[in-house]
Amino acid sequence: MLFKILVILHTLGATVWTGGHLVLAITVLPSALKSRDPDRIHQFEEHFEGFGLASLLLQVITGLWLTWIYFPGFQSLLSFESYLSTYIGIKLGLLVGTLALAVHARFFIIPNLTKETLDSLAYHIVGVTLLAVLFVILGAGIRLGGLG
Ligand code: HEM
């Protein structure tokens, strides 16, 4: 039962994190770039930031918990001997990439967001969104017994 609840929470968190970033990248960002108006992104972030970060935290907790169930004590996790350990290892790599992009954007770009720095933020948003979609693809791959 615990395993099922964790998978449901993990999937729910994925809808928020990945869905929110797809909305940002596909609808809000193009209109902000078109009108060179950083405020549109600020407005979205105002509503999504806390919710989005909570969902990412939920992903990390439920993801690591599921991993612990598959690999108790995380033993032989990083051996990459099975598709499962390979996919989970890649997901951990995606997590490092996501955190690096998010921290850089949050502390170095967003505080000084102007028309000039908008393009740099756009690259970050597209990057985090692509990583978010990859998280879902690899997650589905785990459930499907591999993507090959
Ligand atoms: C924003 C980040 C993440 C997203 C969007 C995401 C998304 C997903 C999705 C959609 C699934 C498929 C669920 C299913 O149908 O069973 C999944 C499964 C899984 N994810 Fe993640 N994930 C994220 C982060 C992580 C992290 C950080 C870990 C830990 C290393 C992790 C470990 C797992 C595991 C072990 C499964 C397999 C669960 C199962 O047996 O179905 N995920 N993930």
Coordinates of all heavy atoms in Angstrom, one line a residue, residues 54-87:
A54 N 7.4 23.2 -3.8 CA 6.8 22.1 -2.9 C 6.7 20.8 -3.7 O 7.0 19.7 -3.2 CB 5.5 22.6 -2.4
S55 N 6.3 20.9 -5.0 CA 6.1 19.7 -5.8 C 7.5 19.1 -6.1 O 7.6 17.9 -6.1 CB 5.3 20.0 -7.1 OG 6.1 20.6 -8.0
L56 N 8.5 19.9 -6.3 CA 9.9 19.4 -6.6 C 10.4 18.6 -5.3 O 10.9 17.5 -5.4 CB 10.8 20.5 -7.0 CG 12.3 20.0 -7.3 CD1 12.3 19.0 -8.5 CD2 13.2 21.2 -7.6
L57 N 10.1 19.3 -4.2 CA 10.5 18.6 -2.9 C 9.8 17.3 -2.7 O 10.4 16.3 -2.3 CB 10.2 19.6 -1.7 CG 10.7 19.1 -0.4 CD1 12.2 19.1 -0.3 CD2 10.2 20.0 0.7
L58 N 8.5 17.3 -3.1 CA 7.7 16.0 -3.0 C 8.3 15.0 -3.9 O 8.4 13.8 -3.6 CB 6.3 16.3 -3.4 CG 5.3 15.1 -3.4 CD1 5.0 14.7 -2.0 CD2 4.0 15.5 -4.0
Q59 N 8.7 15.4 -5.1 CA 9.4 14.5 -6.1 C 10.6 13.8 -5.5 O 10.9 12.7 -5.7 CB 9.7 15.2 -7.4 CG 8.6 15.6 -8.2 CD 7.6 14.6 -8.4 OE1 6.6 14.5 -7.6 NE2 7.7 13.7 -9.3
V60 N 11.4 14.7 -4.9 CA 12.7 14.2 -4.4 C 12.5 13.2 -3.2 O 13.0 12.1 -3.2 CB 13.6 15.4 -3.9 CG1 14.9 14.9 -3.2 CG2 14.0 16.3 -5.1
I61 N 11.5 13.6 -2.3 CA 11.3 12.7 -1.1 C 10.6 11.4 -1.6 O 11.1 10.3 -1.3 CB 10.3 13.4 -0.1 CG1 11.0 14.6 0.5 CG2 9.9 12.4 1.0 CD1 10.1 15.5 1.3
T62 N 9.6 11.5 -2.4 CA 8.9 10.2 -2.9 C 9.8 9.4 -3.8 O 9.9 8.2 -3.7 CB 7.6 10.5 -3.6 OG1 7.8 11.5 -4.6 CG2 6.5 11.0 -2.6
G63 N 10.6 10.1 -4.7 CA 11.5 9.5 -5.6 C 12.6 8.7 -4.8 O 12.9 7.5 -5.1
L64 N 13.2 9.3 -3.8 CA 14.2 8.7 -3.0 C 13.7 7.5 -2.2 O 14.3 6.5 -2.0 CB 15.0 9.7 -2.1 CG 15.9 10.7 -2.8 CD1 16.5 11.7 -1.8 CD2 17.0 9.9 -3.6
W65 N 12.4 7.7 -1.7 CA 11.8 6.7 -0.9 C 11.5 5.4 -1.8 O 11.8 4.3 -1.4 CB 10.4 7.2 -0.4 CG 9.9 6.5 0.8 CD1 10.1 5.2 1.2 CD2 9.0 7.1 1.8 NE1 9.4 4.9 2.3 CE2 8.8 6.1 2.7 CE3 8.5 8.4 2.0 CZ2 7.9 6.3 3.8 CZ3 7.6 8.6 3.1 CH2 7.4 7.5 4.0
L66 N 11.0 5.7 -3.0 CA 10.7 4.6 -4.0 C 12.1 3.9 -4.3 O 12.1 2.6 -4.3 CB 10.1 5.1 -5.3 CG 8.6 5.5 -5.2 CD1 8.3 6.4 -6.4 CD2 7.7 4.3 -5.1
T67 N 13.1 4.7 -4.5 CA 14.4 4.1 -4.8 C 14.9 3.2 -3.6 O 15.5 2.1 -3.8 CB 15.4 5.3 -5.0 OG1 14.9 6.1 -6.1 CG2 16.8 4.7 -5.4
W68 N 14.6 3.7 -2.4 CA 15.0 2.9 -1.2 C 14.3 1.6 -1.1 O 14.9 0.6 -0.7 CB 14.7 3.8 0.1 CG 15.2 3.1 1.4 CD1 14.5 2.2 2.1 CD2 16.4 3.4 2.0 NE1 15.2 1.9 3.2 CE2 16.4 2.6 3.2 CE3 17.5 4.2 1.7 CZ2 17.5 2.6 4.1 CZ3 18.6 4.2 2.7 CH2 18.6 3.4 3.8
I69 N 13.0 1.6 -1.6 CA 12.3 0.3 -1.6 C 12.9 -0.6 -2.7 O 13.0 -1.8 -2.4 CB 10.8 0.6 -1.9 CG1 10.2 1.4 -0.7 CG2 10.0 -0.7 -2.2 CD1 8.8 1.9 -0.9
Y70 N 13.3 -0.1 -3.8 CA 13.9 -0.9 -4.9 C 15.3 -1.4 -4.5 O 15.7 -2.5 -4.8 CB 14.0 -0.2 -6.2 CG 12.7 -0.1 -7.0 CD1 12.1 1.1 -7.3 CD2 12.1 -1.3 -7.4 CE1 10.9 1.2 -8.1 CE2 10.9 -1.2 -8.2 CZ 10.3 0.0 -8.5 OH 9.1 0.1 -9.2
F71 N 16.0 -0.4 -3.9 CA 17.4 -0.7 -3.5 C 17.6 -0.4 -2.0 O 18.1 0.7 -1.7 CB 18.4 0.2 -4.3 CG 18.3 -0.1 -5.8 CD1 17.5 0.7 -6.6 CD2 19.1 -1.1 -6.4 CE1 17.4 0.4 -8.0 CE2 19.0 -1.4 -7.7 CZ 18.2 -0.6 -8.5
P72 N 17.2 -1.3 -1.1 CA 17.3 -1.0 0.3 C 18.7 -0.6 0.7 O 19.7 -1.2 0.3 CB 16.9 -2.3 1.0 CG 16.1 -3.0 0.0 CD 16.7 -2.6 -1.4
G73 N 18.8 0.5 1.4 CA 20.1 1.0 1.8 C 20.9 1.6 0.6 O 22.1 1.9 0.7
F74 N 20.2 1.8 -0.5 CA 20.8 2.4 -1.7 C 21.9 1.5 -2.2 O 22.8 1.9 -3.0 CB 21.3 3.8 -1.6 CG 20.1 4.8 -1.4 CD1 20.2 5.8 -0.4 CD2 19.0 4.7 -2.2 CE1 19.2 6.7 -0.2 CE2 17.9 5.6 -2.0 CZ 18.0 6.6 -1.0
Q75 N 21.9 0.2 -1.7 CA 23.0 -0.7 -2.1 C 22.9 -1.1 -3.6 O 21.8 -1.3 -4.1 CB 23.0 -2.0 -1.3 CG 23.9 -1.8 -0.1 CD 23.8 -3.0 0.8 OE1 23.4 -4.1 0.4 NE2 24.2 -2.9 2.1
S76 N 24.0 -1.1 -4.2 CA 24.2 -1.4 -5.7 C 23.3 -0.5 -6.6 O 23.1 -0.9 -7.8 CB 23.8 -2.9 -6.0 OG 22.4 -3.2 -5.8
L77 N 22.9 0.6 -6.0 CA 22.1 1.6 -6.8 C 22.9 2.1 -8.0 O 22.5 2.1 -9.2 CB 21.6 2.7 -6.0 CG 21.0 3.9 -6.8 CD1 19.8 3.4 -7.6 CD2 20.6 5.0 -5.9
L78 N 24.2 2.5 -7.7 CA 24.9 3.2 -8.8 C 25.8 2.2 -9.5 O 26.8 2.6 -10.1 CB 25.7 4.4 -8.2 CG 24.8 5.5 -7.7 CD1 25.6 6.7 -7.2 CD2 23.8 6.0 -8.8
S79 N 25.5 0.9 -9.5 CA 26.2 -0.1 -10.2 C 25.9 -0.1 -11.7 O 26.6 -0.5 -12.5 CB 25.9 -1.5 -9.7 OG 24.6 -1.8 -9.9
F80 N 24.7 0.5 -12.0 CA 24.1 0.6 -13.3 C 24.1 -0.8 -14.0 O 24.3 -1.0 -15.2 CB 25.0 1.5 -14.2 CG 25.0 2.9 -13.7 CD1 26.1 3.5 -13.2 CD2 23.8 3.7 -13.6 CE1 26.1 4.8 -12.7 CE2 23.8 5.0 -13.1 CZ 24.9 5.5 -12.7
E81 N 23.7 -1.8 -13.2 CA 23.7 -3.2 -13.7 C 22.3 -3.5 -14.3 O 22.1 -4.5 -14.9 CB 24.0 -4.2 -12.6 CG 25.5 -4.4 -12.4 CD 25.8 -5.1 -11.1 OE1 24.9 -5.5 -10.4 OE2 27.0 -5.3 -10.9
S82 N 21.3 -2.7 -14.0 CA 20.0 -2.9 -14.5 C 19.4 -1.6 -15.1 O 19.9 -0.5 -14.8 CB 19.0 -3.4 -13.4 OG 18.9 -2.4 -12.5
Y83 N 18.4 -1.7 -16.0 CA 17.8 -0.5 -16.5 C 17.3 0.4 -15.4 O 17.4 1.6 -15.4 CB 16.7 -0.8 -17.5 CG 15.4 -1.2 -16.8 CD1 14.5 -0.2 -16.5 CD2 15.1 -2.5 -16.5 CE1 13.3 -0.5 -15.8 CE2 13.9 -2.8 -15.8 CZ 13.0 -1.8 -15.5 OH 11.9 -2.1 -14.8
L84 N 16.9 -0.3 -14.3 CA 16.3 0.4 -13.1 C 17.3 1.3 -12.5 O 17.1 2.5 -12.3 CB 15.7 -0.6 -12.1 CG 14.9 0.0 -11.0 CD1 13.8 0.9 -11.5 CD2 14.4 -1.1 -10.1
S85 N 18.5 0.8 -12.2 CA 19.5 1.6 -11.6 C 20.1 2.6 -12.5 O 20.4 3.8 -12.1 CB 20.7 0.7 -11.0 OG 21.3 0.1 -12.0
T86 N 20.1 2.3 -13.8 CA 20.5 3.3 -14.8 C 19.6 4.5 -14.9 O 20.0 5.6 -14.8 CB 20.6 2.6 -16.2 OG1 21.5 1.5 -16.2 CG2 21.2 3.6 -17.3
Y87 N 18.3 4.2 -15.0 CA 17.3 5.2 -15.1 C 17.3 6.1 -13.8 O 17.2 7.3 -13.9 CB 15.9 4.7 -15.3 CG 15.7 4.2 -16.8 CD1 16.7 3.9 -17.6 CD2 14.4 4.0 -17.2 CE1 16.5 3.4 -18.9 CE2 14.2 3.5 -18.5 CZ 15.3 3.2 -19.4 OH 15.1 2.8 -20.6

